[in-house]
């Protein structure tokens, strides 16, 4: 939903997310912008995906971060 086109597949570099962390995803192409959001819920075991994130425009939805994403602990 929020990051559906940019976050694909697996865990983010082995990092274990917690609610309140920021989630950053680099753009897939030159015409796209990097995306960011705040993790509001972690549904996977031990901080793994799926996660629920809220984007800057207020939309919220499930996220499965891929290799282009980075968790930024708070």
């Amino acid at each position: 939903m929020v990051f559906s086109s940019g976050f694909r597949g697996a865990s983010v570099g082995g990092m274990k997310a917690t609610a309140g962390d920021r989630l950053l995803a680099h753009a897939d192409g030159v015409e796209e912008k990097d995306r960011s959001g705040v993790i509001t819920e972690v549904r996977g075991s031990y901080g793994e995906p799926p996660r629920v994130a809220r984007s800057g425009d207020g939309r919220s939805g499930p996220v499965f971060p891929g290799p282009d994403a980075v968790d930024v602990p708070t």
Side-chain angles (χ1 to χ4, degrees):
M1 220 169 133
V2 177
F3 301 104
S4 59
S5 67
F7 292 154
R8 305 172 302 277
S11 178
V12 181
M15 292 185 68
K16 308 301 181 195
T18 59
D21 289 352
R22 289 200 62 73
L23 186 58
L24 306 174
H26 298 289
D28 291 333
V30 294
E31 294 185 15
E32 296 181 25
K33 295 182 179 181
D34 290 348
R35 295 165 309 282
S36 68
V38 176
I39 297 171
T40 58
E41 181 182 352
V42 178
R43 294 184 178 168
S45 301
Y46 308 106
E48 296 172 353
R51 301 169 185 159
V52 177
R54 184 181 63 247
S55 65
D57 64 4
R59 294 183 299 155
S60 182
V63 178
F64 291 83
D68 60 342
V70 177
D71 286 331
V72 181
T74 55

